[in-house]
Amino acid sequence: MTSPTPRRLRRAVAAAVAAVLLVPAMASAASAAAPARFKDVPDSHAFLEEITWLAQEDITTGYSDGTFRPRAEVTRDAFAAFLYRLEGSPTVTLPAKSPFKDITPTNTDFYEAIVWLEKQGITNGWEVSGGTEFRPFNTITRDAMAAFLYRYEGEPTVTLPAKSPFKDITPTNTDFYEEIVWLDKTGISTGWSDGTFRPYDGVTREATAAFFYRLSGSPDVVVPANIPKSFTIKGAGFGHGVGMSQYGAQGMAVDGRSAGDILRHYYQGTTVATVNSDKEVKTEIFGSGSDSRDRVVLVVNSPGSSSTTGGQWRLMFYNEGDAGSHDTWTGKKGEKLTIIRDVRPNGDNEIVVERADGSRQRATRQLQFQWEATDFYQSTSSENPYVQLLKTNGDRATHGDYRHGRMVIRVPSETYPRLIVSNWTELNSEYLYGIAEMPSSWDPDALQAQAIVARGYALRQMQSYSENCVCHLYDDTRSQNFTGWRKENEGTDAYYGKRWMSAVNATTSSSGRDGKVLKYGGAIATTYYFSSSGGRTENSDDIWVSQPGYLKAVDDKWSLESRNPNKAWTRTLTQAQASSMFGMSNVVSIKVTSRTSGSSMAAATKVTATSSTGQTKSITGAETIRSKVVGGKSPWIWSFTAKY
């Protein structure tokens, strides 16, 4: 048997070298390298250092899925392999015949290690009829483990104590009393907290790591940071959280509350009032955000019976300084007009229109497009034509179709060099019909509440007008989601569209000239709204800087009911996304470190990431967190869970 002294010296030298180099040993040619960290051994694991050391010494490489499986029990052949690698995988001269009748070079992956174990006298196996068995696939017990390690160390002399160190071990109830006493005296095993050794229990992989580590003198270990591959974010709700929750409105309506009840709950201190709203609202439907392009195709479609004259239109061209149009084109449904922003040699922006036949005309100021069966062109027609805006490849360029009003097309200035298309419609009877903010199948009282807040929001926004968008409002989440005819004509025979129109009409009076809004302190309230919350809405001053007295946090239990698909959600954030987002080389943990109130269900206002070096960086502000961290979902974030 090899002398134990050189063996201990080799281990001491190897540990010293590893401590200096601070890098794991290379894996043997027969196995893959161990990962820097096992994904099932977190920082909190009791044997993190021991398992890390075992991998760094190339005694284990773990499993192919990146796990160590610390609680799995070790078989006798695997334990032989661990000891063999601990010794440095010395060269073994294989015998002509296996030393054990149940072991062959082909029925175990660890034949060489088992032969080495037998040659060193570390194991004798079991004597059976016709030879000796090793029983490689049996779990190694704790008393057998003690015997293996004791023999591996050269069977050092042990002074037996007057009393057993373990209450379940005596000199007579185990064949390995001396070995277990030695294990206790050397500190390799201290047993269990109840004073037992449990000799016949199987040895786990984490315990094996601890025994080998202590056997080798408990060398210093540099544990690499456990860098997660991703983070799972859990949260609830959708939207900014200020004002009326739409799922809350539906829940209240289903519970029998009126539109007025709903609005008074979410905008406390307001009153429902009727105001004149017979106004023209200008909505940018193309030209900024994802729609920012230099050309768009305009076409009129009509489901009417006239195949020759249906869907008629006219396009008027205006130059700078013109009192009226300098040219007018007319046509009918199906003809595609390509609208192009043209930059002149002097840098001026003009508009060029190309017809299907290739003819062109330009305007230095704007175009106005009108079509059949509107207030501006052939108003007595019974047709239902609508306008679509398309990309040059035929795909939709906007998310709506447009039945009402007229369109103004302009390049606003060199400062904002983009093609703008604005739909000008009547607020009550045209614009609101196209607001696609709530499913038309919902309860009428919820729909009426939505119509009232949409009207009030539009009227507040109409107090200002921007030449940069030729609009009061955008057609998307910057203002309100406006899809025009697509909403109004929704469903078979416009069944759902009619439900929504009916809700809008229920909030108007005086033949559609007046409409209901919310007022606060005598002024029309700014009626922000959103999809759903995490159970409670938020104060506007916690989300934005504005602090209207009616935009305060209220109970929103209805958002957490089963009808809401966002009552609970998860989102995955990759390591690359997290490190880029926080501006760090890596991120090992992310936590919500501040909320709008002391409640754990409140919106997050500060999210802090920690790197492997201990550096921390934070993203603050509920709206910033919503847009940057959770892709626009909501600021109601419950947890971040690292995935390895």
Side-chain angles (χ1 to χ4, degrees):
M1 179 175 176
T2 305
S3 167
T5 302
R7 179 178 292 144
R8 284 195 294 272
L9 284 173
R10 286 198 298 275
R11 287 201 301 276
V13 170
V17 170
V20 171
L21 296 179
L22 301 181
V23 295
M26 293 298 292
S28 67
S31 61
R37 286 286 298 266
F38 296 108
K39 62 185 182 182
D40 58 346
V41 184
D43 289 343
S44 59
H45 197 282
F47 299 114
L48 172 63
E49 287 192 356
E50 292 88 337
I51 293 169
T52 300
W53 173 84
L54 202 71
Q56 290 178 350
E57 291 296 305
D58 199 28
I59 296 169
T60 183
T61 58
Y63 291 86
S64 60
D65 62 357
T67 62
F68 179 72
R69 305 180 193 176
R71 296 298 177 86
E73 293 186 338
V74 181
T75 56
R76 286 170 55 84
D77 62 346
F79 197 85
F82 287 160
L83 271 178
Y84 176 65
R85 295 170 192 161
L86 179 65
E87 184 61 15
S89 302
T91 302
V92 179
T93 302
L94 298 178
K97 181 181 178 182
S98 172
F100 301 105
K101 61 182 292 185
D102 57 347
I103 297 294
T104 71
T106 58
N107 75 346
T108 175
D109 292 331
F110 307 123
Y111 180 73
E112 187 174 17
I114 295 169
V115 169
W116 171 81
L117 206 69
E118 190 271 339
K119 283 179 175 286
Q120 296 295 309
I122 296 172
T123 184
N124 299 314
W126 280 271
E127 294 293 333
V128 296
S129 176
T132 305
E133 291 181 346
F134 180 70
R135 302 177 187 174
F137 309 122
N138 286 4
T139 298
I140 188 167
T141 56
R142 287 170 58 84
D143 60 348
M145 172 274 301
F148 279 12
L149 296 184
Y150 178 69
R151 295 168 193 163
Y152 175 79
E153 284 296 290
E155 301 182 5
T157 302
V158 180
T159 301
L160 298 179
K163 181 181 178 183
S164 172
F166 303 107
K167 64 185 183 182
D168 58 344
I169 297 294
T170 69
T172 58
N173 74 348
T174 176
D175 292 333
F176 303 122
Y177 181 72
E178 186 174 8
E179 291 87 336
I180 295 170
V181 169
W182 169 80
L183 211 65
D184 171 69
K185 283 180 174 288
T186 56
I188 295 171
S189 177
T190 56
W192 300 90
S193 58
D194 62 359
T196 63
F197 181 73
R198 306 180 190 176
Y200 309 120
D201 283 3
V203 179
T204 62
R205 288 171 60 83
E206 64 184 8
T208 300
F211 295 149
F212 280 30
Y213 176 71
R214 296 167 193 161
L215 182 70
S216 299
S218 301
D220 290 337
V221 179
V222 176
V223 179
N226 202 7
I227 309 298
K229 292 182 178 179
S230 64
F231 297 88
T232 297
I233 310 172
K234 290 187 177 181
F238 192 95
H240 49 69
V242 178
M244 184 183 76
S245 153
Q246 291 165 310
Y247 272 93
Q250 170 67 354
M252 290 186 71
V254 170
D255 286 348
R257 311 291 181 85
S258 69
D261 293 335
I262 294 167
L263 296 173
R264 283 186 289 272
H265 174 74
Y266 285 105
Y267 307 96
Q268 296 200 348
T270 63
T271 58
V272 178
T274 299
V275 298
N276 179 270
S277 46
D278 186 16
K279 302 177 184 296
E280 185 178 58
V281 58
K282 302 171 183 179
T283 308
E284 186 200 75
I285 58 174
F286 176 89
S288 62
S290 61
D291 295 336
S292 185
R293 298 184 187 88
D294 284 341
R295 62 183 60 207
V296 67
V297 176
L298 185 151
V299 62
V300 175
N301 295 309
S302 178
S305 59
S306 175
S307 61
T308 57
T309 60
Q312 294 186 66
W313 53 262
R314 67 182 173 190
L315 178 64
M316 294 170 284
F317 295 79
Y318 295 82
N319 285 337
E320 295 289 348
D322 282 351
S325 60
H326 66 271
D327 197 2
T328 300
W329 285 357
T330 59
K332 60 184 177 61
K333 66 179 181 180
E335 181 178 4
K336 293 180 179 179
L337 302 173
T338 302
I339 318 294
I340 305 165
R341 178 177 76 94
D342 183 43
V343 182
R344 306 301 291 164
N346 64 358
D348 289 344
N349 287 274
E350 297 182 0
I351 304 171
V352 174
V353 184
E354 182 176 301
R355 299 192 75 152
D357 63 6
S359 58
R360 286 186 164 207
Q361 181 58 280
R362 68 176 57 241
T364 63
R365 187 176 194 287
Q366 71 178 31
L367 310 173
Q368 188 172 140
F369 189 72
Q370 301 171 356
W371 58 98
E372 183 179 353
T374 63
D375 289 341
F376 302 96
Y377 192 56
Q378 298 185 7
S379 59
T380 60
S381 171
S382 60
E383 296 277 328
N384 272 319
Y386 59 92
V387 182
Q388 285 189 316
L389 275 65
L390 308 174
K391 299 177 185 178
T392 53
N393 65 0
D395 293 342
R396 284 182 174 276
T398 65
H399 56 276
D401 297 331
Y402 310 98
R403 169 69 184 84
H404 302 294
R406 51 183 167 163
M407 288 183 184
V408 171
I409 303 167
R410 189 184 299 172
V411 177
S413 69
E414 283 70 32
T415 307
Y416 295 92
R418 59 180 186 263
L419 194 63
I420 297 293
V421 183
S422 182
N423 187 199
W424 296 8
T425 56
E426 290 298 317
L427 174 60
N428 279 339
S429 59
E430 296 176 345
Y431 173 77
L432 288 179
Y433 288 168
I435 291 295
E437 285 283 0
M438 183 177 280
S440 301
S441 60
W442 281 14
D443 190 281
D445 281 292
L447 296 176
Q448 288 175 37
Q450 177 66 66
I452 292 169
V453 297
R455 178 184 292 108
Y457 182 86
L459 284 169
R460 283 291 298 243
Q461 296 303 110
M462 289 171 67
Q463 293 173 10
S464 62
Y465 167 81
S466 173
E467 282 288 342
N468 295 329
C469 65
V470 195
C471 74
H472 303 113
L473 295 141
Y474 296 100
D475 67 341
D476 53 34
T477 54
R478 289 171 292 178
S479 300
Q480 303 187 111
N481 187 27
F482 174 71
T483 63
W485 184 244
R486 294 193 75 186
K487 178 69 172 179
E488 186 177 338
N489 196 43
E490 184 181 26
T492 303
D493 295 327
Y495 173 80
Y496 290 109
K498 290 172 184 175
R499 292 188 90 250
W500 169 241
M501 291 170 62
S502 177
V504 172
N505 293 339
T507 67
T508 64
S509 57
S510 303
S511 300
R513 292 189 299 274
D514 299 336
K516 291 181 180 179
V517 296
L518 283 183
K519 281 193 171 183
Y520 182 81
I524 296 175
T526 301
T527 45
Y528 296 114
Y529 56 90
F530 64 102
S531 174
S532 62
S533 75
R536 187 171 179 81
T537 68
E538 294 291 337
N539 295 324
S540 64
D541 43 312
D542 287 331
I543 305 300
W544 303 312
V545 295
S546 59
Q547 303 181 40
Y550 53 88
L551 293 176
K552 296 299 181 183
V554 297
D555 175 55
D556 187 32
K557 62 185 178 182
W558 302 275
S559 275
L560 300 181
E561 294 180 358
S562 60
R563 64 173 66 91
N564 180 10
N566 284 304
K567 68 176 181 177
W569 50 256
T570 61
R571 178 176 170 82
T572 298
L573 193 66
T574 67
Q575 176 62 222
Q577 290 170 329
S579 55
S580 174
M581 182 183 300
F582 288 95
M584 297 194 290
S585 58
N586 60 60
V587 175
V588 297
S589 68
I590 310 174
K591 294 181 179 179
V592 175
T593 49
S594 180
R595 296 186 182 275
T596 56
S597 73
S599 169
S600 62
M601 301 298 281
T605 55
K606 186 176 182 180
V607 171
T608 302
T610 303
S611 75
S612 60
T613 64
Q615 178 189 20
T616 61
K617 286 191 177 181
S618 299
I619 295 173
T620 58
E623 277 292 80
T624 304
I625 290 168
R626 180 168 77 98
S627 63
K628 290 187 67 173
V629 180
V630 294
K633 273 287 192 181
S634 83
W636 291 281
I637 299 172
W638 306 148
S639 65
F640 293 87
T641 303
K643 299 295 182 180
Y644 298 93

